[in-house]
Amino acid sequence: MAGEAYRGALLLGAGESDLGVFPERTTLDLQVQAAQRALADARVELRAIDGIFVSKSGELRPGDSPAVELAEAFGVRPRHVDTTLAGGAAPVIQIARAAAAITAGLCSYALVAYGSTQASRRLRRDEGWATDPDSDAVAFERPTGYRHPISVHALIARRHMHEFGTTSEQLASVALSDRAWAQRNPAALRRAPLTVDAVLASPVISSPLHVLDCCLVTDGAAAVVLGPGASAAGPAVEIAGFAERHSHMSIVHAESLTTSLAADTGSRAFAMAGFTPRDVDAVQIYDAFTDMPIVLLEDLGFCRKGEGGPFVESGATLPGGGLPMNTQGGGLSHCHPGMYGLFLAVEAVRQLRRTAGERQLERASRVLCHAVGGGGFGSHATLILAAVA
Amino acid sequence: MSVERRTFWNAWAEGRLLLQRCASCGTARFYPKPFCPSCGAAAHEWVAAEGGGEIHSWTAVHRRSGHVPAMVVLVTLDEGVRVLGVLDGAGEPGIGERVRLAPRRAASGPIRFARAALQA
């Protein structure tokens, strides 16, 4: 039972651009490539697209209209555009925005795209992207020498260790889980075997996080196509549940470092869907740093509070485990072009449409995606997708 | 620079960390802002933080090998607000450890703390 706001739309297809570092290609090039692949997957004609949803991250400049830019590149004239900004959560939020717009009759076929060339353009500098001297981040936080956003998650990881006894080995097990899945995904950028010792031996960036506790920094783009009904492309996907919640941009305003608003978005999304975490076949959890899935799996109800470390360490999220997680390899091994949210949904669509190749799950009828943004769990989006029978 | 930000830095340059206390609901706030995030009231008084606080979390930030890492601390001041700052002195701190503000009479950040046990 889909939520009223979203029940008039289906996800029809998904695609990714080439992934890696491409000094001779633009963000727009990569978005176009991902969109063309998603349209082909969905068997939807470009001319049918009348809604375009594009977020942006490090490259965003005043005056930018990334959705209109993509419309211009494709030569289409959408009657509905959206450029929601909520950090890495934005593209997942935009899938719900697109479904709501289709349900409301504001557009019929929607393209949700995200891309970045942050790696080849070297946009990911130590001080992060904050440049506005009026912002609290520039005035008060950047002078500490912290590395944004790594240090924010280092603070969260340290606090989680203190409160619940979480270990560096357990954090590393998140990276191992992602790597095990990446080995089954030819598009993933890091596929060599990984060990806990290798993670712990990698240089510390912001303690307790090592280099290998941190996501890749890559170029790349992703896209998802939605429409008002099934296409010729075979199995489609519906939004069974969705919820978002936002609270802060700075970690100093986080009510708790170790319990996030994912507890709220998760319970609301499950209430909309009419089922529970036990009924989910796989999860796609935002994993820019290894602390994130540990906290989020707890808050979403896949294990008890404080037991995220032992849960992942037990192997539950590995191939063959009870809760496959980040089956494309996640931000730690697949790719990470600044905002990973849309890649979570692309993999969920592939699993649900049974186009995931070597890593295709036997049981894949319900997949939960959870994306976050902001300064340490400041924005949350839980999207529960289900295969349409 | 906002009026509130200027008031803050002027006091910081004299060695005081100013918080705003809402005149309507009494909530202390930091960073400097024109209205209360709890009740929305604009009226407030500036109060100097007493200076004590407790480490809520910390991270040693490594930039280049061979360099001494920066010790970045998230501190809960006794007034109840959280502050991101730098901890002076050697060694790793502990969560829950008491710290005190250690102003440098600078015209800008970072906010500095010293370990309470090493003072006095």
Side-chain angles (χ1 to χ4, degrees), chain A residues 126 134 136 141 155 206-207, chain B residues 5 31 33 57 59 62-63:
Chain A
D126 278 356
D134 283 343
D136 294 327
E141 300 183 355
L155 292 167
S206 190
S207 73
Chain B
R5 189 77 68 73
Y31 303 115
K33 286 287 182 296
S57 194
T59 176
H62 299 250
R63 286 189 172 260

Side-chain angles (χ1 to χ4, degrees), chain A residues 179-244:
Chain A
R179 186 61 59 91
W181 284 108
Q183 289 176 320
R184 299 168 179 226
N185 178 7
L189 294 173
R190 295 284 184 280
R191 303 183 69 202
L194 185 65
T195 64
V196 169
D197 286 347
V199 176
L200 300 188
S202 67
V204 173
I205 300 287
S206 190
S207 73
L209 298 180
H210 308 77
V211 169
L212 293 179
D213 286 301
C214 301
C215 64
L216 309 178
V217 177
T218 74
D219 299 342
V224 169
V225 173
L226 294 93
S231 70
V237 171
E238 68 172 2
I239 295 179
F242 173 77
E244 64 183 87

Side-chain angles (χ1 to χ4, degrees), chain A residues 128-153:
Chain A
W129 294 326
T131 53
D132 178 359
D134 283 343
S135 72
D136 294 327
V138 169
F140 295 103
E141 300 183 355
R142 202 167 71 181
T144 64
Y146 83 143
R147 299 178 67 147
H148 180 82
I150 299 170
S151 296
V152 167
H153 281 279

Side-chain angles (χ1 to χ4, degrees), chain B residues 36-112:
Chain B
C36 175
S38 286
C39 75
H44 63 272
E45 58 172 347
W46 289 96
V47 291
E50 180 274 333
E54 171 182 307
I55 292 180
H56 190 71
S57 194
W58 62 273
T59 176
V61 182
H62 299 250
R63 286 189 172 260
R64 277 173 290 167
S65 58
H67 266 241
V68 178
M71 191 60 74
V72 175
V73 287
L74 185 62
V75 173
T76 309
L77 295 183
D78 292 341
E79 287 81 3
V81 302
R82 293 241 167 89
V83 174
L84 193 73
V86 171
L87 184 66
D88 292 331
E92 290 190 347
I95 287 178
E97 187 176 330
R98 294 288 301 173
V99 293
R100 287 203 60 81
L101 283 167
R104 289 267 181 92
R105 295 181 184 275
S108 62
I111 293 164
R112 292 190 169 276

